[in-house]
Amino acid sequence: MTMTETKSRLVEEIQQWKEKRNAIILAHNYEIPEVQDIADVLGDSLMLARAAAETTADVIVFCGVHFMAETAAILNPEKTVLLPDLEAGCSLADSITADQLRQWKAEHPGAVVVAYVNTTAEVKALSDYCCTSSNAVDIVNSIPADQEILFLPDMFLGSFVQKETGRDNMQIWMGECHVHAGIQPGHVDEVMAQHPDADLLVHPECGCSTSSMYQLSEGMLPKEKTHILSTGNMLKHSKNADASEFVIATEVGIIHQMQKQNPDKRFIAANEQAICPFMKMITLEKVLDALKENQHVITVDKETADQAKLAIERMIAIG
């Protein structure tokens, strides 16, 4: 059997098992192409959280990383949430623990905690709001201006939000996604020099985001061609913009969907090595095994889930 035939067989079996179990497949934009292609909902963290909250399916197969499946389980305690590979973790989520957050809160009594969705359920349970890159600015702007904010765990997203909102009473945790942090200003400068007419799309988690904001403010990057966006908004922009070339500063998995939506446009990675190994762990075989064997059920204890749910629901409601 050829690879194409094997893939077709797997896709057919997945569809059969999905119908048999009344399941929905949610996949993040960074997953491998063949997993993106079988998703019922493909999107960024906010879109997937909303889809998880609204689905009528009995089973949610979450093709992403562990914290995403946890979020779906918190929103759907009565449903079965499956993560096809339990090893699919997140270096950013690992950059702060619940104990570290408790200590940080004790040092800033009365502060409002805004946690990026890339965190564990235990950290979300200690937070007032969750956010994603697409609504972090809106969430911080919704909090009274005189209220101190603890923003965690991504320092690059935090710096972006602080600049966009002008908040000087915002404390930022020094965490990072090792993949996004590896997209440096030098990478962007080199690729943009080779493609001067391209639109530059930068994820605010990236190591180049701070320099891009500075270069924008100094006129070193053209405002009409430079856009700091969530992954979901990157997809929208690349589809609607008149540009024919785009330099993409985020994890490279998103380029598959961009190219699929825009076959006549060209997409160039700012750093071709920006590959998240965790996002690439889930395969068609693992999706099928999860459905057939009810494998890798993700649960969150009720006390933690109840505490985390309010922060997640606030995230879904804003922006």
Side-chain angles (χ1 to χ4, degrees):
M1 190 178 289
T2 66
M3 286 182 63
T4 302
E5 289 171 335
T6 300
K7 179 180 171 183
S8 296
R9 180 185 58 79
L10 284 167
V11 171
E12 187 177 335
E13 280 197 72
I14 288 168
Q15 295 302 328
Q16 290 169 354
W17 276 94
K18 193 176 72 170
E19 290 175 19
K20 189 182 296 187
R21 299 204 60 195
N22 187 29
I24 187 172
I25 297 175
L26 309 182
H28 194 273
N29 294 317
Y30 298 158
E31 290 293 302
I32 62 174
E34 50 263 43
V35 169
Q36 291 188 37
D37 290 344
I38 63 163
D40 298 298
V41 180
L42 176 68
D44 59 12
S45 297
L46 183 58
M47 184 186 295
L48 297 178
R50 285 181 170 145
E54 294 166 2
T55 185
T56 58
D58 297 320
V59 177
I60 299 170
V61 182
F62 214 117
C63 300
V65 293
H66 196 274
F67 77 80
M68 296 178 181
E70 274 189 338
T71 300
I74 290 166
L75 292 169
N76 296 279
E78 75 289 353
K79 298 182 187 297
T80 300
V81 178
L82 305 175
L83 180 64
D85 192 323
L86 287 179
E87 297 302 311
C90 174
S91 62
L92 180 56
D94 290 342
S95 68
I96 187 167
T97 65
D99 285 342
Q100 287 173 318
L101 178 52
R102 285 189 191 95
Q103 180 166 346
W104 201 28
K105 288 175 69 171
E107 293 166 2
H108 298 271
V112 170
V113 178
V114 178
Y116 194 26
V117 73
N118 300 45
T119 45
T120 64
E122 290 77 17
V123 167
K124 289 181 175 73
L126 294 169
S127 304
D128 298 294
Y129 294 83
C130 285
C131 70
T132 69
S133 56
S134 59
N135 69 355
V137 170
D138 290 334
I139 283 175
V140 168
N141 277 333
S142 75
I143 298 167
D146 60 351
Q147 177 69 61
E148 184 179 24
I149 293 174
L150 304 183
F151 189 95
L152 62 97
D154 190 88
M155 61 183 177
F156 297 112
L157 178 60
S159 295
F160 170 74
V161 172
Q162 189 170 42
K163 185 176 187 304
E164 289 293 298
T165 61
R167 300 286 290 239
D168 57 7
N169 57 350
M170 186 170 146
Q171 312 300 322
I172 301 170
W173 188 261
M174 292 291 103
E176 64 178 30
C177 159
H178 72 285
V179 176
H180 281 107
I183 305 174
Q184 293 295 315
H187 295 127
V188 173
D189 292 343
E190 182 178 346
V191 177
M192 287 302 294
Q194 296 168 4
H195 303 273
D197 295 326
D199 273 16
L200 172 62
L201 310 186
V202 179
H203 194 285
E205 270 185 60
C206 290
C208 63
S209 64
T210 303
S211 69
S212 295
M213 286 188 292
Y214 172 76
Q215 289 178 318
L216 261 176
S217 65
E218 295 296 309
M220 298 160 66
L221 285 171
K223 288 186 178 180
E224 70 277 5
K225 286 187 166 292
T226 307
H227 309 274
I228 301 176
L229 301 167
S230 67
T231 53
N233 284 324
M234 282 184 176
L235 283 164
K236 289 177 187 175
H237 179 88
S238 64
K239 189 174 183 178
N240 298 326
D242 292 331
S244 59
E245 282 192 330
F246 300 82
V247 171
I248 308 301
T250 191
E251 208 274 355
V252 298
I254 197 171
I255 292 177
H256 170 69
Q257 193 63 18
M258 288 176 166
Q259 200 68 72
K260 195 173 172 182
Q261 288 183 352
N262 308 279
D264 297 328
K265 296 179 180 181
R266 187 179 181 198
F267 299 92
I268 305 106
N271 180 356
E272 293 180 351
Q273 303 306 310
I275 300 169
C276 175
F278 299 117
M279 283 286 189
K280 309 307 183 198
M281 287 182 171
I282 293 173
T283 62
L284 293 178
E285 290 88 349
K286 291 175 183 177
V287 172
L288 180 58
D289 287 345
L291 280 165
K292 287 171 69 174
E293 308 296 333
N294 203 46
Q295 194 164 272
H296 307 321
V297 178
I298 302 301
T299 59
V300 178
D301 71 85
K302 188 176 186 309
E303 183 180 357
T304 300
D306 288 347
Q307 291 172 349
K309 190 173 183 180
L310 178 59
I312 295 168
E313 288 178 337
R314 284 172 170 167
M315 172 188 77
I316 292 171
I318 296 176

